[in-house]
Amino acid sequence: MKTTYVSVLLLGPAVLASSLSDTLVRKGIHDVLDHQVVMHSECKNHRPTGPIETTFCDYETLESVNDDLFSNLSDLVRLPFFKYFQVDLYRECPFWNEHGSCMDPGCAITTVDESDVPEKWRATTLSKLEASSIEKRHELPGCYYRDSDFCFLDDNTEGDYFDLSLVPERYTGYAGPNAHRIWRSIYNENCFGLSEMSLMGGKSPAPVSLPDSMSEAFGDEDHEIDHAEHCLEKRVYYKVISGLHASISTHVCLEYLNQTTGEWAPNLQCFIEKVASHPERVQYIYFNTVLLLRAVSRLGPYLSAYDYCSTGTHEDDQATLDKLNKVINIAHNVGRFDETVLFRGQNADVLKEEFKTHFRNVSRIMDCVGCDKCRLWGKVQTTGLATALKILFELDEKTLDPHSNANLLQRSEVVALVNTLYRFTESLEAVNNFRKMWSTMNAKDSEDLITKSEQATAEKPHPSPRVGHDCVGSIFEEAQLRLASLFRVCKNTTVECLGYVFDCFHCGLNALVSRLKLSGKERGPGATHVEL
Protein backbone atom coordinates (compact mmCIF):
# COMPACT_ATOMS: atom_id res chain seq x y z
CA MET A 1 0.00 0.00 0.00
CA LYS A 2 1.37 3.41 -0.97
CA THR A 3 1.35 6.04 1.75
CA THR A 4 1.56 9.83 1.72
CA TYR A 5 4.94 11.45 2.05
CA VAL A 6 4.38 13.03 5.45
CA SER A 7 3.66 9.66 7.02
CA VAL A 8 6.41 7.96 5.08
CA LEU A 9 9.64 9.49 6.33
CA LEU A 10 8.57 11.55 9.32
CA LEU A 11 7.80 8.82 11.81
CA GLY A 12 6.99 10.45 15.11
CA PRO A 13 8.73 9.47 18.37
CA ALA A 14 5.52 7.90 19.64
CA VAL A 15 5.61 5.40 16.78
CA LEU A 16 9.31 4.71 17.11
CA ALA A 17 9.20 4.22 20.86
CA SER A 18 7.86 0.69 20.70
CA SER A 19 11.37 -0.71 19.87
CA LEU A 20 12.35 -2.40 16.65
CA SER A 21 9.83 -5.16 16.77
CA ASP A 22 8.97 -7.15 13.67
CA THR A 23 6.00 -4.88 13.04
CA LEU A 24 8.10 -1.72 13.21
CA VAL A 25 10.82 -3.14 10.99
CA ARG A 26 8.20 -4.13 8.43
CA LYS A 27 6.55 -0.71 8.57
CA GLY A 28 9.89 1.10 8.32
CA ILE A 29 10.85 -0.81 5.17
CA HIS A 30 7.53 0.00 3.50
CA ASP A 31 7.73 3.64 4.62
CA VAL A 32 11.11 4.14 2.97
CA LEU A 33 10.76 2.04 -0.17
CA ASP A 34 7.10 2.74 -1.03
CA HIS A 35 7.70 6.49 -1.05
CA GLN A 36 6.77 8.32 -4.28
CA VAL A 37 8.69 11.53 -4.99
CA VAL A 38 6.60 14.72 -4.82
CA MET A 39 8.08 17.50 -6.91
CA HIS A 40 8.58 21.06 -5.66
CA SER A 41 10.69 23.79 -7.20
CA GLU A 42 11.91 25.75 -4.19
CA CYS A 43 12.09 25.60 -0.43
CA LYS A 44 9.71 28.53 0.15
CA ASN A 45 7.33 27.19 2.78
CA HIS A 46 8.17 28.33 6.28
CA ARG A 47 6.31 25.24 7.47
CA PRO A 48 6.81 22.73 4.65
CA THR A 49 4.64 19.64 4.55
CA GLY A 50 7.58 17.28 4.86
CA PRO A 51 10.23 19.09 6.92
CA ILE A 52 13.75 17.75 7.24
CA GLU A 53 14.38 17.87 10.97
CA THR A 54 16.17 20.96 12.30
CA THR A 55 16.13 22.67 8.90
CA PHE A 56 13.81 25.00 7.00
CA CYS A 57 13.71 22.66 4.01
CA ASP A 58 11.55 19.66 3.10
CA TYR A 59 12.22 16.28 1.58
CA GLU A 60 10.22 17.02 -1.56
CA THR A 61 12.27 20.10 -2.41
CA LEU A 62 15.59 18.36 -2.02
CA GLU A 63 14.43 15.40 -4.09
CA SER A 64 13.19 17.69 -6.85
CA VAL A 65 16.64 19.25 -7.34
CA ASN A 66 18.81 16.23 -6.57
CA ASP A 67 18.94 14.94 -10.15
CA ASP A 68 20.34 18.27 -11.36
CA LEU A 69 22.58 18.61 -8.31
CA PHE A 70 23.94 15.09 -8.63
CA SER A 71 24.56 15.52 -12.37
CA ASN A 72 26.56 18.73 -11.94
CA LEU A 73 28.56 17.36 -9.03
CA SER A 74 29.30 14.16 -10.97
CA ASP A 75 30.95 16.27 -13.65
CA LEU A 76 32.61 18.60 -11.16
CA VAL A 77 34.42 15.94 -9.11
CA ARG A 78 35.98 14.52 -12.29
CA LEU A 79 37.64 17.83 -13.18
CA PRO A 80 41.34 18.20 -12.27
CA PHE A 81 40.97 20.47 -9.26
CA PHE A 82 38.47 18.30 -7.39
CA LYS A 83 39.72 14.83 -8.22
CA TYR A 84 43.28 15.04 -6.86
CA PHE A 85 43.57 14.67 -3.09
CA GLN A 86 46.70 14.31 -0.98
CA VAL A 87 46.48 12.46 2.33
CA ASP A 88 48.63 10.39 4.65
CA LEU A 89 46.83 7.04 4.88
CA TYR A 90 49.43 5.38 7.05
CA ARG A 91 49.62 7.57 10.12
CA GLU A 92 49.66 5.54 13.32
CA CYS A 93 46.34 4.96 15.08
CA PRO A 94 46.42 7.19 18.19
CA PHE A 95 43.81 5.31 20.23
CA TRP A 96 44.79 1.65 20.15
CA ASN A 97 47.36 -0.69 18.62
CA GLU A 98 45.91 -1.41 15.21
CA HIS A 99 47.62 -4.46 13.72
CA GLY A 100 44.76 -5.71 11.58
CA SER A 101 44.25 -4.70 7.98
CA CYS A 102 41.91 -5.65 5.18
CA MET A 103 43.63 -8.17 2.93
CA ASP A 104 40.76 -8.23 0.45
CA PRO A 105 41.80 -6.83 -2.98
CA GLY A 106 38.78 -4.54 -2.79
CA CYS A 107 40.44 -2.56 0.01
CA ALA A 108 43.49 -1.64 -2.05
CA ILE A 109 43.90 1.63 -3.96
CA THR A 110 46.47 3.01 -6.39
CA THR A 111 48.34 6.25 -5.80
CA VAL A 112 48.97 8.96 -8.38
CA ASP A 113 52.50 10.01 -9.20
CA GLU A 114 53.24 13.56 -8.07
CA SER A 115 54.33 14.47 -11.59
CA ASP A 116 50.73 13.89 -12.74
CA VAL A 117 49.44 16.52 -10.34
CA PRO A 118 49.61 20.17 -11.51
CA GLU A 119 52.58 21.83 -9.83
CA LYS A 120 50.52 24.55 -8.15
CA TRP A 121 48.57 21.87 -6.26
CA ARG A 122 51.55 19.91 -5.03
CA ALA A 123 52.47 19.83 -1.35
CA THR A 124 55.61 21.95 -1.70
CA THR A 125 53.66 24.79 -3.32
CA LEU A 126 50.57 24.60 -1.14
CA SER A 127 52.54 24.45 2.10
CA LYS A 128 54.02 27.89 1.35
CA LEU A 129 50.56 29.39 0.91
CA GLU A 130 49.02 27.66 3.90
CA ALA A 131 51.92 28.60 6.17
CA SER A 132 50.97 32.25 5.63
CA SER A 133 47.79 31.83 7.67
CA ILE A 134 47.84 34.04 10.76
CA GLU A 135 45.80 31.57 12.81
CA LYS A 136 47.92 29.59 15.26
CA ARG A 137 48.38 25.89 14.58
CA HIS A 138 48.32 23.18 17.21
CA GLU A 139 50.86 20.74 15.81
CA LEU A 140 50.96 16.96 16.05
CA PRO A 141 53.19 14.61 14.06
CA GLY A 142 52.02 14.88 10.46
CA CYS A 143 48.88 16.91 11.20
CA TYR A 144 47.54 19.95 13.00
CA TYR A 145 44.41 21.88 13.82
CA ARG A 146 43.59 25.54 14.35
CA ASP A 147 41.15 26.79 16.97
CA SER A 148 38.48 27.21 14.28
CA ASP A 149 38.93 23.70 12.88
CA PHE A 150 36.55 20.83 13.56
CA CYS A 151 39.07 18.20 12.41
CA PHE A 152 42.78 17.47 12.16
CA LEU A 153 44.34 18.44 8.84
CA ASP A 154 47.38 16.91 7.17
CA ASP A 155 50.42 19.19 7.12
CA ASN A 156 51.46 17.83 3.67
CA THR A 157 54.86 16.68 4.92
CA GLU A 158 53.84 13.06 4.31
CA GLY A 159 51.26 11.28 2.26
CA ASP A 160 50.37 10.28 -1.27
CA TYR A 161 48.21 11.67 -4.04
CA PHE A 162 45.01 9.93 -5.09
CA ASP A 163 42.62 10.40 -7.97
CA LEU A 164 39.26 10.23 -6.19
CA SER A 165 37.42 9.71 -9.48
CA LEU A 166 39.17 6.34 -9.78
CA VAL A 167 38.38 5.19 -6.23
CA PRO A 168 34.72 4.17 -5.94
CA GLU A 169 33.16 4.11 -2.48
CA ARG A 170 31.68 0.61 -2.43
CA TYR A 171 31.80 -2.82 -0.83
CA THR A 172 35.37 -3.80 0.08
CA GLY A 173 34.97 -6.84 2.33
CA TYR A 174 36.20 -4.84 5.34
CA ALA A 175 34.03 -6.10 8.20
CA GLY A 176 34.14 -7.95 11.50
CA PRO A 177 35.40 -6.82 14.92
CA ASN A 178 37.92 -4.28 13.60
CA ALA A 179 35.35 -2.49 11.45
CA HIS A 180 32.75 -2.57 14.23
CA ARG A 181 35.25 -1.08 16.68
CA ILE A 182 35.70 1.93 14.40
CA TRP A 183 32.01 2.82 14.43
CA ARG A 184 31.65 1.98 18.10
CA SER A 185 34.48 4.40 18.88
CA ILE A 186 32.95 7.09 16.68
CA TYR A 187 29.61 6.83 18.44
CA ASN A 188 31.36 6.84 21.80
CA GLU A 189 32.65 10.28 20.85
CA ASN A 190 29.03 11.37 21.25
CA CYS A 191 29.34 11.99 24.99
CA PHE A 192 26.19 14.08 24.99
CA GLY A 193 23.85 11.53 26.56
CA LEU A 194 22.20 10.67 23.23
CA SER A 195 21.63 7.40 21.44
CA GLU A 196 19.57 6.33 18.47
CA MET A 197 17.12 4.32 20.55
CA SER A 198 16.71 7.01 23.20
CA LEU A 199 16.05 9.63 20.53
CA MET A 200 13.36 7.38 19.12
CA GLY A 201 11.72 6.63 22.45
CA GLY A 202 9.52 8.44 24.87
CA LYS A 203 6.35 10.49 24.62
CA SER A 204 6.10 13.38 22.22
CA PRO A 205 7.36 15.91 23.07
CA ALA A 206 9.91 14.40 25.42
CA PRO A 207 13.35 15.42 26.68
CA VAL A 208 14.94 13.22 24.04
CA SER A 209 12.54 13.78 21.13
CA LEU A 210 13.86 15.44 18.00
CA PRO A 211 12.10 18.63 16.87
CA ASP A 212 10.74 18.64 13.35
CA SER A 213 12.11 22.08 12.50
CA MET A 214 14.30 24.80 13.92
CA SER A 215 11.31 27.00 14.63
CA GLU A 216 9.81 24.22 16.74
CA ALA A 217 13.11 23.58 18.48
CA PHE A 218 13.30 27.13 19.76
CA GLY A 219 9.60 27.72 20.33
CA ASP A 220 7.08 30.09 18.80
CA GLU A 221 3.42 30.90 19.16
CA ASP A 222 2.41 27.30 18.59
CA HIS A 223 5.20 25.48 20.42
CA GLU A 224 6.32 25.81 24.01
CA ILE A 225 9.56 23.87 24.19
CA ASP A 226 11.92 23.66 27.15
CA HIS A 227 15.24 24.78 25.66
CA ALA A 228 17.22 23.01 28.38
CA GLU A 229 15.60 19.72 27.41
CA HIS A 230 16.14 20.21 23.67
CA CYS A 231 19.83 20.92 23.20
CA LEU A 232 19.80 21.27 19.44
CA GLU A 233 23.58 21.27 19.10
CA LYS A 234 23.85 17.78 20.55
CA ARG A 235 21.18 16.45 18.25
CA VAL A 236 22.81 18.07 15.23
CA TYR A 237 26.09 16.39 16.15
CA TYR A 238 24.45 12.99 16.38
CA LYS A 239 22.61 13.40 13.10
CA VAL A 240 25.80 14.44 11.30
CA ILE A 241 27.57 11.26 12.47
CA SER A 242 24.61 8.95 11.90
CA GLY A 243 23.92 10.49 8.50
CA LEU A 244 27.51 9.89 7.44
CA HIS A 245 27.24 6.27 8.57
CA ALA A 246 23.98 5.77 6.68
CA SER A 247 25.41 7.34 3.53
CA ILE A 248 28.47 5.10 3.60
CA SER A 249 26.26 2.05 4.15
CA THR A 250 24.12 3.07 1.17
CA HIS A 251 27.20 3.23 -1.06
CA VAL A 252 28.35 -0.17 0.15
CA CYS A 253 24.97 -1.66 -0.77
CA LEU A 254 24.76 0.20 -4.08
CA GLU A 255 27.97 -1.34 -5.40
CA TYR A 256 28.02 -4.74 -3.76
CA LEU A 257 30.19 -7.65 -4.86
CA ASN A 258 28.32 -10.89 -5.49
CA GLN A 259 30.75 -13.44 -4.07
CA THR A 260 29.27 -16.18 -6.26
CA THR A 261 29.21 -14.48 -9.67
CA GLY A 262 31.97 -11.93 -9.10
CA GLU A 263 29.70 -9.18 -10.44
CA TRP A 264 29.07 -5.75 -8.95
CA ALA A 265 25.42 -4.80 -8.54
CA PRO A 266 22.99 -3.04 -6.16
CA ASN A 267 22.06 -5.23 -3.19
CA LEU A 268 18.52 -4.42 -2.09
CA GLN A 269 18.67 -6.86 0.83
CA CYS A 270 21.79 -5.10 2.12
CA PHE A 271 20.10 -1.70 1.85
CA ILE A 272 16.97 -2.89 3.64
CA GLU A 273 18.91 -4.39 6.55
CA LYS A 274 21.39 -1.55 7.00
CA VAL A 275 19.30 1.52 6.16
CA ALA A 276 15.68 1.16 5.03
CA SER A 277 14.56 -0.79 8.12
CA HIS A 278 15.54 2.30 10.15
CA PRO A 279 13.80 5.30 8.47
CA GLU A 280 15.59 7.84 10.67
CA ARG A 281 18.85 6.87 8.97
CA VAL A 282 17.44 7.96 5.62
CA GLN A 283 16.28 11.21 7.25
CA TYR A 284 19.82 11.97 8.39
CA ILE A 285 21.17 11.58 4.85
CA TYR A 286 18.74 14.31 3.80
CA PHE A 287 19.72 16.40 6.81
CA ASN A 288 23.45 16.25 6.06
CA THR A 289 22.83 17.16 2.44
CA VAL A 290 21.00 20.33 3.47
CA LEU A 291 23.72 21.19 5.98
CA LEU A 292 26.42 20.80 3.32
CA LEU A 293 24.39 22.86 0.83
CA ARG A 294 24.08 25.64 3.39
CA ALA A 295 27.87 25.65 3.82
CA VAL A 296 28.37 25.81 0.04
CA SER A 297 25.84 28.63 -0.15
CA ARG A 298 27.67 30.67 2.49
CA LEU A 299 31.00 29.92 0.85
CA GLY A 300 29.65 30.84 -2.61
CA PRO A 301 31.59 34.09 -3.16
CA TYR A 302 34.81 32.47 -1.92
CA LEU A 303 34.35 29.45 -4.20
CA SER A 304 33.51 31.67 -7.18
CA ALA A 305 36.72 33.67 -6.68
CA TYR A 306 38.95 30.61 -6.20
CA ASP A 307 41.68 29.84 -8.74
CA TYR A 308 40.95 26.43 -10.29
CA CYS A 309 43.33 26.79 -13.22
CA SER A 310 45.78 23.92 -13.68
CA THR A 311 47.00 24.28 -17.28
CA GLY A 312 47.49 28.02 -17.66
CA THR A 313 44.87 28.29 -20.41
CA HIS A 314 42.02 29.00 -17.98
CA GLU A 315 39.71 26.77 -20.03
CA ASP A 316 39.54 24.22 -17.25
CA ASP A 317 39.14 27.10 -14.80
CA GLN A 318 36.02 28.28 -16.63
CA ALA A 319 34.66 24.75 -16.99
CA THR A 320 35.04 24.23 -13.25
CA LEU A 321 33.40 27.57 -12.46
CA ASP A 322 30.46 26.89 -14.77
CA LYS A 323 29.63 23.63 -13.02
CA LEU A 324 30.36 25.01 -9.59
CA ASN A 325 28.12 28.04 -10.05
CA LYS A 326 25.22 25.73 -10.92
CA VAL A 327 25.79 23.89 -7.66
CA ILE A 328 26.03 27.17 -5.73
CA ASN A 329 22.74 28.39 -7.23
CA ILE A 330 20.99 25.20 -6.12
CA ALA A 331 22.58 25.56 -2.69
CA HIS A 332 21.19 29.08 -2.35
CA ASN A 333 17.65 27.76 -2.91
CA VAL A 334 17.79 24.52 -0.94
CA GLY A 335 20.47 25.02 1.73
CA ARG A 336 17.98 26.35 4.27
CA PHE A 337 19.74 25.69 7.54
CA ASP A 338 19.88 28.54 10.08
CA GLU A 339 23.20 28.14 11.82
CA THR A 340 22.65 31.26 13.94
CA VAL A 341 20.25 29.45 16.29
CA LEU A 342 22.99 27.08 17.44
CA PHE A 343 25.74 27.79 19.97
CA ARG A 344 24.08 30.74 21.60
CA GLY A 345 23.40 31.43 25.23
CA GLN A 346 25.40 31.31 28.43
CA ASN A 347 27.45 28.17 27.74
CA ALA A 348 27.70 28.51 23.97
CA ASP A 349 31.50 28.65 23.85
CA VAL A 350 31.83 25.68 26.17
CA LEU A 351 29.45 23.57 24.11
CA LYS A 352 31.08 24.55 20.82
CA GLU A 353 34.53 23.67 22.14
CA GLU A 354 33.23 20.29 23.26
CA PHE A 355 31.56 19.78 19.89
CA LYS A 356 34.84 20.53 18.07
CA THR A 357 36.88 18.30 20.37
CA HIS A 358 34.59 15.35 19.69
CA PHE A 359 34.62 15.84 15.94
CA ARG A 360 38.39 16.27 15.85
CA ASN A 361 38.74 12.92 17.56
CA VAL A 362 36.37 11.35 15.05
CA SER A 363 38.71 12.58 12.31
CA ARG A 364 41.63 10.93 14.12
CA ILE A 365 39.75 7.66 14.49
CA MET A 366 39.98 7.47 10.69
CA ASP A 367 43.68 6.67 11.17
CA CYS A 368 42.58 3.41 12.79
CA VAL A 369 40.60 2.09 9.81
CA GLY A 370 42.23 -1.06 8.46
CA CYS A 371 40.99 -0.72 4.87
CA ASP A 372 42.89 1.74 2.65
CA LYS A 373 39.90 2.59 0.48
CA CYS A 374 37.62 2.97 3.52
CA ARG A 375 40.23 5.09 5.29
CA LEU A 376 40.61 7.37 2.27
CA TRP A 377 36.89 8.06 1.96
CA GLY A 378 36.56 8.30 5.73
CA LYS A 379 39.20 11.01 5.82
CA VAL A 380 37.73 12.85 2.83
CA GLN A 381 34.21 12.91 4.25
CA THR A 382 35.08 13.74 7.86
CA THR A 383 37.20 16.61 6.49
CA GLY A 384 34.32 17.69 4.25
CA LEU A 385 31.79 17.69 7.08
CA ALA A 386 34.25 19.40 9.42
CA THR A 387 34.84 22.10 6.80
CA ALA A 388 31.08 22.64 6.51
CA LEU A 389 30.77 22.92 10.29
CA LYS A 390 33.61 25.45 10.39
CA ILE A 391 31.99 27.54 7.66
CA LEU A 392 28.66 27.54 9.48
CA PHE A 393 29.73 27.99 13.09
CA GLU A 394 33.15 29.69 13.08
CA LEU A 395 33.41 32.04 10.08
CA ASP A 396 31.50 35.31 9.74
CA GLU A 397 30.80 37.14 6.50
CA LYS A 398 33.89 39.32 6.83
CA THR A 399 36.13 36.29 7.28
CA LEU A 400 34.54 34.61 4.25
CA ASP A 401 35.34 37.60 2.01
CA PRO A 402 37.64 36.17 -0.72
CA HIS A 403 39.27 39.56 -1.33
CA SER A 404 40.49 40.02 2.24
CA ASN A 405 41.06 36.35 3.10
CA ALA A 406 42.08 34.51 -0.07
CA ASN A 407 43.87 31.71 1.80
CA LEU A 408 41.08 31.04 4.27
CA LEU A 409 40.78 27.31 3.47
CA GLN A 410 43.28 24.68 2.51
CA ARG A 411 42.80 23.30 -0.98
CA SER A 412 42.13 19.91 0.65
CA GLU A 413 39.21 21.42 2.57
CA VAL A 414 37.59 22.77 -0.60
CA VAL A 415 38.10 19.45 -2.40
CA ALA A 416 36.75 17.47 0.56
CA LEU A 417 33.68 19.70 0.95
CA VAL A 418 32.58 19.29 -2.67
CA ASN A 419 33.34 15.56 -2.80
CA THR A 420 31.44 14.97 0.44
CA LEU A 421 28.40 16.80 -0.91
CA TYR A 422 28.68 14.61 -4.01
CA ARG A 423 28.76 11.46 -1.85
CA PHE A 424 25.51 12.46 -0.13
CA THR A 425 23.70 13.41 -3.34
CA GLU A 426 24.79 10.06 -4.75
CA SER A 427 23.32 8.37 -1.68
CA LEU A 428 19.99 10.10 -2.32
CA GLU A 429 20.17 8.97 -5.93
CA ALA A 430 20.89 5.44 -4.71
CA VAL A 431 17.88 5.51 -2.36
CA ASN A 432 15.64 6.26 -5.33
CA ASN A 433 17.27 3.47 -7.33
CA PHE A 434 16.52 1.03 -4.52
CA ARG A 435 12.92 2.26 -4.47
CA LYS A 436 12.63 1.51 -8.17
CA MET A 437 14.02 -1.98 -7.62
CA TRP A 438 11.50 -2.50 -4.83
CA SER A 439 8.59 -1.30 -6.98
CA THR A 440 9.30 -3.94 -9.66
CA MET A 441 9.29 -6.86 -7.23
CA ASN A 442 6.31 -9.15 -6.84
CA ALA A 443 4.59 -9.56 -3.48
CA LYS A 444 6.26 -12.87 -2.64
CA ASP A 445 9.83 -11.64 -3.27
CA SER A 446 9.30 -8.43 -1.32
CA GLU A 447 7.82 -10.39 1.57
CA ASP A 448 10.85 -12.68 1.56
CA LEU A 449 13.17 -9.66 1.80
CA ILE A 450 11.21 -8.23 4.72
CA THR A 451 11.23 -11.57 6.53
CA LYS A 452 15.01 -11.87 6.14
CA SER A 453 15.44 -8.33 7.46
CA GLU A 454 13.27 -9.09 10.49
CA GLN A 455 15.33 -12.19 11.19
CA ALA A 456 18.59 -10.26 10.84
CA THR A 457 17.33 -7.61 13.26
CA ALA A 458 16.29 -10.24 15.80
CA GLU A 459 19.72 -11.89 15.58
CA LYS A 460 21.53 -8.66 16.43
CA PRO A 461 20.41 -7.60 19.92
CA HIS A 462 22.45 -4.40 20.22
CA PRO A 463 20.27 -1.92 22.12
CA SER A 464 21.73 1.53 22.47
CA PRO A 465 22.90 2.73 25.88
CA ARG A 466 20.41 4.58 27.99
CA VAL A 467 20.27 8.35 27.87
CA GLY A 468 23.23 9.81 29.67
CA HIS A 469 25.42 6.74 29.27
CA ASP A 470 27.00 7.24 25.86
CA CYS A 471 30.32 8.49 27.19
CA VAL A 472 33.70 7.20 26.10
CA GLY A 473 34.61 3.77 27.45
CA SER A 474 37.35 4.92 29.79
CA ILE A 475 36.97 7.81 32.21
CA PHE A 476 40.69 8.46 31.93
CA GLU A 477 40.55 8.53 28.13
CA GLU A 478 37.65 10.98 28.32
CA ALA A 479 39.63 13.19 30.69
CA GLN A 480 42.54 13.28 28.25
CA LEU A 481 40.28 14.25 25.36
CA ARG A 482 38.85 17.17 27.34
CA LEU A 483 41.99 18.68 28.89
CA ALA A 484 42.85 20.79 25.85
CA SER A 485 39.30 22.11 25.62
CA LEU A 486 39.24 22.90 29.34
CA PHE A 487 42.44 24.92 29.09
CA ARG A 488 41.15 27.08 26.22
CA VAL A 489 37.79 27.70 27.88
CA CYS A 490 39.30 28.63 31.23
CA LYS A 491 41.49 31.23 29.58
CA ASN A 492 38.38 33.17 28.56
CA THR A 493 36.05 33.23 31.55
CA THR A 494 35.86 31.75 35.04
CA VAL A 495 32.09 31.16 34.84
CA GLU A 496 32.33 29.08 31.66
CA CYS A 497 35.35 27.28 33.09
CA LEU A 498 33.38 26.18 36.15
CA GLY A 499 30.47 25.11 33.95
CA TYR A 500 32.76 23.06 31.76
CA VAL A 501 34.39 21.37 34.76
CA PHE A 502 30.94 20.43 36.06
CA ASP A 503 29.95 18.99 32.66
CA CYS A 504 33.14 16.93 32.51
CA PHE A 505 32.57 15.64 36.04
CA HIS A 506 28.95 14.75 35.22
CA CYS A 507 29.93 12.87 32.06
CA GLY A 508 32.69 10.99 33.87
CA LEU A 509 30.30 10.07 36.65
CA ASN A 510 27.82 8.71 34.10
CA ALA A 511 30.59 6.59 32.58
CA LEU A 512 31.45 5.18 36.02
CA VAL A 513 27.81 4.45 36.87
CA SER A 514 27.29 2.73 33.51
CA ARG A 515 30.01 0.19 34.46
CA LEU A 516 27.88 -0.90 37.40
CA LYS A 517 24.71 -1.49 35.37
CA LEU A 518 23.57 -4.28 33.08
CA SER A 519 24.39 -3.90 29.41
CA GLY A 520 20.72 -3.72 28.42
CA LYS A 521 20.81 -6.81 26.24
CA GLU A 522 18.37 -8.48 28.55
CA ARG A 523 15.75 -6.05 27.25
CA GLY A 524 15.46 -7.90 23.95
CA PRO A 525 16.15 -7.10 20.33
CA GLY A 526 17.03 -3.62 19.25
CA ALA A 527 19.36 -1.99 16.79
CA THR A 528 21.99 0.64 17.08
CA HIS A 529 23.81 2.04 14.12
CA VAL A 530 27.01 0.30 15.19
CA GLU A 531 26.41 -3.00 13.46
CA LEU A 532 26.27 -1.53 9.97
Side-chain angles (χ1 to χ4, degrees), residues 86-325:
Q86 186 195 15
V87 63
D88 183 2
L89 287 187
Y90 305 108
R91 189 177 297 118
E92 183 178 352
C93 172
F95 299 109
W96 60 78
N97 293 324
E98 178 56 53
H99 302 297
S101 62
C102 176
M103 303 305 295
D104 192 291
C107 292
I109 49 178
T110 304
T111 61
V112 174
D113 191 273
E114 187 176 41
S115 61
D116 295 330
V117 179
E119 185 174 359
K120 64 188 300 182
W121 300 337
R122 297 176 190 173
T124 51
T125 304
L126 291 174
S127 60
K128 296 177 183 177
L129 296 174
E130 290 156 2
S132 64
S133 173
I134 60 175
E135 194 173 2
K136 180 182 177 182
R137 292 186 176 191
H138 303 274
E139 304 277 356
L140 289 174
C143 63
Y144 69 93
Y145 70 88
R146 297 156 295 191
D147 287 342
S148 63
D149 290 328
F150 283 72
C151 71
F152 285 86
L153 298 167
D154 283 7
D155 62 10
N156 295 322
T157 58
E158 300 287 343
D160 298 301
Y161 296 90
F162 299 91
D163 183 344
L164 297 179
S165 67
L166 301 179
V167 186
E169 184 183 20
R170 62 185 184 184
Y171 174 83
T172 63
Y174 181 59
N178 289 334
H180 292 166
R181 178 164 61 171
I182 295 297
W183 283 113
R184 189 173 299 110
S185 299
I186 289 174
Y187 282 103
N188 280 342
E189 277 305 312
N190 175 20
C191 191
F192 293 126
L194 296 180
S195 65
E196 188 165 293
M197 286 296 289
S198 65
L199 288 172
M200 291 161 57
K203 298 179 180 179
S204 179
V208 295
S209 65
L210 285 168
D212 285 339
S213 67
M214 284 189 166
S215 59
E216 179 182 342
F218 286 91
D220 54 25
E221 296 177 352
D222 303 318
H223 297 90
E224 293 296 332
I225 305 280
D226 186 341
H227 294 190
E229 290 186 335
H230 287 76
C231 184
L232 189 59
E233 295 86 353
K234 299 174 183 180
R235 286 152 179 78
V236 165
Y237 178 94
Y238 180 83
K239 286 193 278 188
V240 168
I241 296 298
S242 186
L244 172 62
H245 195 173
S247 178
I248 291 173
S249 297
T250 301
H251 281 95
V252 169
C253 299
L254 179 65
E255 291 192 64
Y256 200 90
L257 179 63
N258 187 315
Q259 302 285 351
T260 302
T261 65
E263 296 179 350
W264 294 92
N267 187 326
L268 181 57
Q269 180 69 49
C270 169
F271 177 71
I272 289 175
E273 291 183 7
K274 295 180 180 295
V275 183
S277 56
H278 309 274
E280 68 285 347
R281 296 177 183 175
V282 180
Q283 293 177 20
Y284 298 159
I285 297 177
Y286 283 82
F287 169 81
N288 277 7
T289 306
V290 173
L291 183 142
L292 287 161
L293 284 170
R294 173 55 181 162
V296 169
S297 177
R298 285 204 69 206
L299 197 63
Y302 184 88
L303 292 174
S304 296
Y306 208 95
D307 181 10
Y308 301 99
C309 182
S310 62
T311 62
T313 65
H314 290 280
E315 292 180 1
D316 56 336
D317 194 19
Q318 190 58 50
T320 303
L321 279 173
D322 289 344
K323 290 292 181 182
L324 189 58
N325 284 331

Side-chain angles (χ1 to χ4, degrees), residues 386-400:
T387 302
L389 294 171
K390 178 167 71 172
I391 293 167
L392 296 179
F393 303 126
E394 283 290 325
L395 308 180
D396 57 24
E397 299 305 321
K398 181 179 180 180
T399 306
L400 289 170

Side-chain angles (χ1 to χ4, degrees), residues 421-490:
L421 176 59
Y422 171 60
R423 295 285 92 192
F424 277 92
T425 61
E426 188 173 46
S427 290
L428 294 180
E429 185 79 3
V431 171
N432 282 333
N433 289 337
F434 284 120
R435 286 168 177 156
K436 292 175 183 177
M437 292 175 62
W438 173 262
S439 67
T440 62
M441 298 183 69
N442 59 47
K444 181 180 182 302
D445 289 342
S446 60
E447 179 63 26
D448 288 343
L449 284 180
I450 292 177
T451 301
K452 290 179 181 178
S453 181
E454 290 171 341
Q455 292 173 346
T457 301
E459 292 169 0
K460 296 178 180 179
H462 299 296
S464 298
R466 294 177 296 108
V467 178
H469 295 81
D470 272 12
C471 298
V472 178
S474 166
I475 301 173
F476 301 106
E477 290 176 3
E478 176 65 11
Q480 289 179 325
L481 295 179
R482 291 168 177 259
L483 280 177
S485 301
L486 176 61
F487 176 74
R488 284 191 294 274
V489 169
C490 289

